[in-house]
Amino acid sequence: MKNWKKRTKITLLLVFLIFLALFAALCWKKRRGIYNTYMKLTNQEIPYSVKEKRKKMYGDYEQKLKVSMDMDNTVSIGENDESAAEIETEIPTEETRVVASYDIDQQLQAEQDNGYTWEEPMVIQNPYQIAPLTAVVIFDTPEECGVRFTVKGKTEATDISGEVDPAVSHRVPIIGLYPNEENTVVLELLDENGKTTDFQEIKITTDSLPETLDDVIRPVKTSGKSAYELTMVYGQKTIFPFAYDCMGDIRWYMNTKVKASGIFQLANNRMIVQDTAAQVPSADKPQTTNFYEMDYLGRAYTMYYVSGGIHHEVIEKEPGGNLLVLSSSLEGHIEDKIQELDRQTGEVVNELVMGDLIKSKYEDRVDWTHLNTVSYQPETDTIIISPRNLESVIKLNWTTKEIQWILCDPRFWEGTEYEKYVLQPEGDFNYHFQQHTAYQVSADLDGNPDTVEISLFDNHSVKVRRADIPYYDKTKESYLVVYSVNEKEGTVQQIKKIPTVWSTITSSTIYDEDSNHIFGMCGHVKESEDKRKGMTYEFDYDTEEVINQFSIKTTFYRASEMKIDYNDLAAPMEVADNYIRGELLQPTKTWKWLWTKKPEQTLNDEDVTFHLTGQVLYVGTYDHRISQIIFHGKKNTYVYDTTNMRLHKKGYLQFYEHIPVPLQGLDADEYEIYVMYQNEFYDTAQTVAIK
């Protein structure tokens, strides 16, 4: 009897173990795992962090040192190009655009001291080698006077004019030349009352456009006038930003490639230009870490670093104030962070990661929010954000991070803790899908002082959450939309909806209060008969009549008015001592002393490249080939580790990137640089000595 009981127990144990093994195998086959299966059985949402680790990864992730880099551990940078001299190394240096701009500006100042006269001025075309349809005219006058220039257009409405304040020594900026033409420019001397005392014509001959801008814009309908003297188009496949007049002629462009989001305009009539000199790896496309403040002649004044990279938006919190930047947390997610940068130092003074604001079933993918706009309302200390992949516009307090309201189809947040914030619709309503450029309008468009108006571009396309939005109506057209929000009552009305060609991503809506015109900038036309990829519209807001319409050959990110401060362009450059500023992810110091000799193999110079800008080391290679950069000194060891930045899209392996590694936080030492490259350990034959 005892043997039978023993055999029974053994048999039951074996059956249980077999059942357990089969259950575990089934869980593995379904890619759920025991933990995930438990979560499913108990109707709990599987955390995205668990899902993310089980996704297929591309690239290389081997570590020589078991070090995990702290994504919140950044080093503050405040320096200039000359800071590179504080590091002893054979690694070559590359200067910022600020140095190149300032050197040319100093040469122009020297030319100005040569005493050119009104009768025989010096004309310098494309002085900063970035904007070919610009020029500077230098001359002196016996008495102080103002100067007006006019580039003669093909019609009177396409004349482009500007004025500079009274002076004796003049540096007159010219913007608006036609390409491949002998341009006529009229110069006028102005007295203290603004009356012309003398004038002359000069001729400036320009070269043809680069091939990529040939036939880039075609008029569909023109009225011969526009609220905008010049309209800029930039970003995406429009790699050379350009500006056109009301007849569709290009009158300005940059010959330097500007990719991704491209350009963001500032209140001082300069622009932020996204630079592709450095990128940080991510779970998706590498994130650009650098941007410049520039003017329309091409002068760069300041360069900023952002540790998690920038995308979609850089905007002033208030005119002349701090910058609000859309960035990425890089911890399994991208395009999910908002940061406020101190304008003078580039340091982060406030930030929000979307995962800290919203916890829901929608946190289910790498790009789960896809922030594309942010703006600040100083009177209420609030920001308005547009997380495209949440189909929502959200207003929240920037200090407390408390949600004020959500503008979205109520069905999207139904059954969640966030449905209480959703504005309730009144009147006829069609909700937006995958929206862009959600901003509060300063004008009172509904005549009700108790409401605020929100404009946005309704792309009206769903490619990310089709299963979550069965009510999507698939109309295959986009819309310029204005909402009237009664914040006190928690209600919303749709007061304007103007259809445009279907533009599935990017794009922008702009209301111009001075003219009462509304612009639709359709940056990614989906189904056009002629295969052209963009369209811009100018409508009368009240009648919705099309005033101007232009077809663009390539996709673009946004289009906007080009606002120019000619006095700023006429003034000599002034740059701060710390014109390189911001924050970057800092290498991690490790206590491990592992090596008594160098790695046995040395990496080929063609596989990985190095250069310094200031004290930031740029390490160039293809995306996710390097998993660790190791600085091994006589007393210290630091590791820049990218293994937590798992890539989930194979196509980006062909992207060549320069990873910016700050040396500012390294202790004084003599370092040899090693790398884990395609999962093998290499010496790079490069050294740096930190003083």
Side-chain angles (χ1 to χ4, degrees), residues 536-549:
T536 64
Y537 297 86
E538 181 176 358
F539 295 93
D540 181 280
Y541 180 83
D542 293 329
T543 67
E544 302 181 10
E545 175 190 0
V546 176
I547 298 169
N548 294 302
Q549 182 180 349

Side-chain angles (χ1 to χ4, degrees), residues 614-649:
Q615 293 187 37
V616 176
L617 178 67
Y618 288 59
V619 183
T621 190
Y622 286 95
D623 188 36
H624 278 84
R625 286 194 182 180
I626 287 179
S627 53
Q628 288 190 323
I629 304 166
I630 300 169
F631 300 88
H632 183 53
K634 296 180 178 179
K635 300 178 181 179
N636 307 280
T637 298
Y638 290 84
V639 183
Y640 189 96
D641 182 272
T642 67
T643 54
N644 283 336
M645 305 173 193
R646 298 178 175 89
L647 178 66
H648 297 306
K649 290 191 177 181

Side-chain angles (χ1 to χ4, degrees), residues 424-442:
Q424 296 306 302
E426 293 184 340
D428 295 334
F429 226 94
N430 291 96
Y431 276 103
H432 51 267
F433 296 95
Q434 302 280 279
Q435 78 288 334
H436 284 75
T437 60
Y439 299 117
Q440 184 168 311
V441 179
S442 59

